[in-house]
Amino acid sequence: MMQWSYDTLLKWGTDELTAHSVDNASVDAWYLLEHIYGISRLDFLIRRNDPFDEIQMKQSADYQALIHRRSEGYPVQYLTGSTEFMGLPFFVNESVLIPRQDTEVLVETALAMMKPECRLLDMCTGSGCIPISLKLRNQQIVIEGADISEEALKVAEKNAKKLGVSGKWIQTDMFENITGTFDMITSNPPYIPTKV
Protein backbone atom coordinates (compact mmCIF):
# COMPACT_ATOMS: atom_id res chain seq x y z
CA MET A 1 0.00 0.00 0.00
CA MET A 2 1.33 3.41 -0.95
CA GLN A 3 2.10 5.81 1.92
CA TRP A 4 0.13 8.95 1.15
CA SER A 5 0.44 12.54 2.31
CA TYR A 6 -1.95 15.39 1.50
CA ASP A 7 0.47 16.54 -1.19
CA THR A 8 0.92 13.19 -2.92
CA LEU A 9 -2.80 12.36 -2.72
CA LEU A 10 -3.82 15.72 -4.16
CA LYS A 11 -1.29 15.33 -6.96
CA TRP A 12 -2.62 11.85 -7.69
CA GLY A 13 -6.21 13.15 -7.77
CA THR A 14 -5.30 16.03 -10.08
CA ASP A 15 -3.38 13.74 -12.43
CA GLU A 16 -6.24 11.23 -12.51
CA LEU A 17 -8.83 13.90 -13.39
CA THR A 18 -6.51 15.49 -15.95
CA ALA A 19 -6.01 12.10 -17.62
CA HIS A 20 -9.79 11.85 -17.99
CA SER A 21 -10.04 15.40 -19.46
CA VAL A 22 -11.99 16.80 -16.49
CA ASP A 23 -12.16 20.60 -16.65
CA ASN A 24 -10.60 22.35 -13.65
CA ALA A 25 -9.00 19.10 -12.52
CA SER A 26 -6.85 20.69 -9.82
CA VAL A 27 -9.81 22.64 -8.38
CA ASP A 28 -12.05 19.58 -8.25
CA ALA A 29 -9.26 17.45 -6.76
CA TRP A 30 -8.84 20.06 -4.02
CA TYR A 31 -12.59 20.31 -3.26
CA LEU A 32 -12.80 16.56 -2.87
CA LEU A 33 -9.71 16.49 -0.63
CA GLU A 34 -11.19 19.27 1.48
CA HIS A 35 -14.50 17.37 1.65
CA ILE A 36 -12.98 14.06 2.78
CA TYR A 37 -10.44 15.48 5.26
CA GLY A 38 -12.10 18.75 6.33
CA ILE A 39 -8.75 20.44 5.80
CA SER A 40 -8.21 24.15 5.26
CA ARG A 41 -5.68 25.61 2.83
CA LEU A 42 -3.51 26.71 5.75
CA ASP A 43 -3.54 23.24 7.35
CA PHE A 44 -2.70 21.77 3.96
CA LEU A 45 0.31 24.06 3.55
CA ILE A 46 1.58 23.30 7.05
CA ARG A 47 1.04 19.51 6.92
CA ARG A 48 1.18 18.80 3.20
CA ASN A 49 4.15 16.40 3.39
CA ASP A 50 3.35 14.69 6.71
CA PRO A 51 2.85 10.93 6.19
CA PHE A 52 -0.74 9.86 6.79
CA ASP A 53 -1.67 8.01 9.95
CA GLU A 54 -3.89 4.91 9.87
CA ILE A 55 -7.18 6.86 9.88
CA GLN A 56 -6.02 9.21 7.12
CA MET A 57 -4.90 6.20 5.07
CA LYS A 58 -8.41 4.72 5.33
CA GLN A 59 -9.86 8.07 4.27
CA SER A 60 -7.58 8.07 1.23
CA ALA A 61 -9.61 5.15 -0.17
CA ASP A 62 -12.77 7.31 0.11
CA TYR A 63 -10.99 10.13 -1.70
CA GLN A 64 -9.84 7.81 -4.48
CA ALA A 65 -13.40 6.53 -4.90
CA LEU A 66 -14.70 10.09 -5.30
CA ILE A 67 -11.95 10.91 -7.80
CA HIS A 68 -12.92 7.86 -9.85
CA ARG A 69 -16.59 8.93 -9.85
CA ARG A 70 -15.62 12.49 -10.82
CA SER A 71 -13.43 11.15 -13.64
CA GLU A 72 -16.56 9.43 -14.99
CA GLY A 73 -18.31 12.81 -15.20
CA TYR A 74 -20.24 12.79 -11.92
CA PRO A 75 -20.61 16.42 -10.70
CA VAL A 76 -18.39 17.41 -7.79
CA GLN A 77 -21.39 19.10 -6.09
CA TYR A 78 -23.24 15.79 -5.91
CA LEU A 79 -20.11 14.07 -4.61
CA THR A 80 -19.73 16.58 -1.77
CA GLY A 81 -23.47 17.18 -1.30
CA SER A 82 -22.87 20.91 -1.31
CA THR A 83 -22.78 23.93 -3.59
CA GLU A 84 -22.57 27.67 -3.09
CA PHE A 85 -25.36 29.97 -4.26
CA MET A 86 -25.57 33.68 -3.45
CA GLY A 87 -22.65 33.12 -1.06
CA LEU A 88 -24.65 30.52 0.88
CA PRO A 89 -23.99 26.78 1.32
CA PHE A 90 -26.82 24.67 -0.12
CA PHE A 91 -27.21 20.91 0.19
CA VAL A 92 -27.75 19.19 -3.16
CA ASN A 93 -28.22 15.63 -4.34
CA GLU A 94 -29.44 13.87 -7.47
CA SER A 95 -33.06 14.85 -6.68
CA VAL A 96 -32.37 18.47 -7.66
CA LEU A 97 -30.50 20.37 -10.32
CA ILE A 98 -27.31 22.06 -9.16
CA PRO A 99 -28.04 25.79 -8.76
CA ARG A 100 -26.22 27.80 -11.40
CA GLN A 101 -24.55 31.15 -10.86
CA ASP A 102 -26.58 32.76 -13.64
CA THR A 103 -29.71 32.10 -11.51
CA GLU A 104 -28.29 34.59 -9.01
CA VAL A 105 -29.31 37.30 -11.51
CA LEU A 106 -32.93 36.16 -11.11
CA VAL A 107 -32.63 36.48 -7.31
CA GLU A 108 -31.08 39.96 -7.55
CA THR A 109 -33.76 41.10 -10.02
CA ALA A 110 -36.59 39.73 -7.86
CA LEU A 111 -35.11 41.36 -4.77
CA ALA A 112 -35.01 44.75 -6.52
CA MET A 113 -38.65 44.43 -7.64
CA MET A 114 -40.40 42.93 -4.62
CA LYS A 115 -42.51 44.76 -2.07
CA PRO A 116 -41.29 44.78 1.54
CA GLU A 117 -43.90 42.23 2.71
CA CYS A 118 -44.16 40.24 -0.49
CA ARG A 119 -45.86 36.85 -0.67
CA LEU A 120 -43.64 34.84 -2.99
CA LEU A 121 -44.19 31.55 -4.81
CA ASP A 122 -41.24 29.75 -6.38
CA MET A 123 -42.30 27.16 -8.96
CA CYS A 124 -40.06 24.14 -9.67
CA THR A 125 -38.18 25.12 -6.52
CA GLY A 126 -35.72 22.20 -6.48
CA SER A 127 -33.16 22.92 -3.75
CA GLY A 128 -35.13 25.98 -2.65
CA CYS A 129 -32.17 28.22 -3.39
CA ILE A 130 -34.25 31.04 -4.91
CA PRO A 131 -36.89 31.59 -2.18
CA ILE A 132 -34.45 30.85 0.65
CA SER A 133 -31.91 33.35 -0.69
CA LEU A 134 -34.65 35.97 -1.07
CA LYS A 135 -35.99 35.35 2.45
CA LEU A 136 -32.51 35.72 3.94
CA ARG A 137 -32.21 39.11 2.26
CA ASN A 138 -35.72 40.26 3.22
CA GLN A 139 -37.03 38.61 6.39
CA GLN A 140 -40.46 40.24 5.95
CA ILE A 141 -41.43 38.21 2.90
CA VAL A 142 -43.47 35.00 3.04
CA ILE A 143 -42.14 32.21 0.84
CA GLU A 144 -43.67 29.09 -0.64
CA GLY A 145 -41.81 26.65 -2.84
CA ALA A 146 -43.58 24.22 -5.16
CA ASP A 147 -42.24 21.17 -6.95
CA ILE A 148 -43.66 18.00 -8.48
CA SER A 149 -40.88 15.97 -6.83
CA GLU A 150 -41.31 14.94 -3.20
CA GLU A 151 -37.57 14.22 -3.01
CA ALA A 152 -36.72 17.70 -4.26
CA LEU A 153 -38.98 19.24 -1.61
CA LYS A 154 -37.11 17.26 1.07
CA VAL A 155 -33.91 18.92 -0.15
CA ALA A 156 -35.55 22.37 -0.06
CA GLU A 157 -36.83 21.74 3.49
CA LYS A 158 -33.39 20.59 4.59
CA ASN A 159 -31.82 23.76 3.17
CA ALA A 160 -34.43 25.98 4.81
CA LYS A 161 -33.81 24.36 8.19
CA LYS A 162 -30.04 24.48 7.76
CA LEU A 163 -30.12 28.20 6.90
CA GLY A 164 -32.77 29.11 9.50
CA VAL A 165 -35.52 30.06 7.09
CA SER A 166 -39.26 29.45 7.51
CA GLY A 167 -41.27 28.58 4.42
CA LYS A 168 -43.97 26.33 3.05
CA TRP A 169 -43.09 23.53 0.62
CA ILE A 170 -45.85 22.14 -1.60
CA GLN A 171 -45.85 19.04 -3.78
CA THR A 172 -47.81 19.90 -6.90
CA ASP A 173 -47.93 19.58 -10.64
CA MET A 174 -47.68 23.27 -11.54
CA PHE A 175 -50.62 25.13 -9.89
CA GLU A 176 -52.73 22.06 -9.07
CA ASN A 177 -52.29 22.28 -5.26
CA ILE A 178 -51.52 26.01 -5.01
CA THR A 179 -53.99 28.19 -3.14
CA GLY A 180 -54.17 31.90 -2.40
CA THR A 181 -52.63 34.84 -4.20
CA PHE A 182 -49.03 35.94 -4.55
CA ASP A 183 -47.27 39.24 -5.14
CA MET A 184 -44.50 37.54 -7.09
CA ILE A 185 -43.85 34.20 -8.76
CA THR A 186 -40.30 33.15 -9.52
CA SER A 187 -39.14 30.10 -11.43
CA ASN A 188 -36.03 28.65 -12.99
CA PRO A 189 -37.43 25.35 -14.22
CA PRO A 190 -35.46 22.36 -15.45
CA TYR A 191 -34.06 22.86 -18.91
CA ILE A 192 -36.44 21.88 -21.68
CA PRO A 193 -35.10 21.05 -25.15
CA THR A 194 -36.25 23.37 -27.95
CA LYS A 195 -37.18 20.34 -30.08
CA VAL A 196 -39.14 17.52 -28.52
Side-chain angles (χ1 to χ4, degrees), residues 76-127:
V76 72
Q77 295 92 335
Y78 289 157
L79 293 172
T80 63
S82 180
T83 193
E84 186 177 294
F85 182 80
M86 297 295 292
L88 300 164
F90 280 87
F91 168 73
V92 290
N93 63 21
E94 292 180 3
S95 300
V96 299
L97 293 177
I98 298 164
R100 294 164 54 111
Q101 285 192 321
D102 53 2
T103 305
E104 293 183 1
V105 175
L106 186 154
V107 172
E108 290 163 356
T109 303
L111 193 60
M113 296 173 66
M114 68 174 38
K115 300 172 184 175
E117 296 181 6
C118 177
R119 186 162 183 244
L120 173 95
L121 172 66
D122 184 52
M123 293 298 295
C124 308
T125 199
S127 66

Side-chain angles (χ1 to χ4, degrees), residues 9 20 23 52 73 77 94 97 146-147 157 173 179 188 190-191:
L9 190 60
H20 286 85
D23 291 337
F52 278 175
Q77 295 92 335
E94 292 180 3
L97 293 177
D147 206 292
E157 286 183 276
D173 186 356
T179 57
N188 187 20
Y191 303 109

Side-chain angles (χ1 to χ4, degrees), residues 30-47:
W30 166 256
Y31 281 143
L32 295 175
L33 189 81
E34 184 181 46
H35 172 68
I36 291 293
Y37 289 98
I39 189 169
S40 69
R41 287 275 186 190
L42 180 59
D43 283 342
F44 173 80
L45 292 172
I46 293 170
R47 301 165 43 207

Side-chain angles (χ1 to χ4, degrees), residues 2 22-24 33 49 58 64-65 76 78 82 99 101 123 125-126 133 143 147 165 169 181 187 191 193-194:
M2 180 171 180
V22 174
D23 291 337
N24 303 311
L33 189 81
N49 294 314
K58 286 180 181 175
Q64 291 172 65
V76 72
Y78 289 157
S82 180
Q101 285 192 321
M123 293 298 295
T125 199
S133 296
I143 62 168
D147 206 292
V165 167
W169 310 100
T181 58
S187 185
Y191 303 109
T194 51

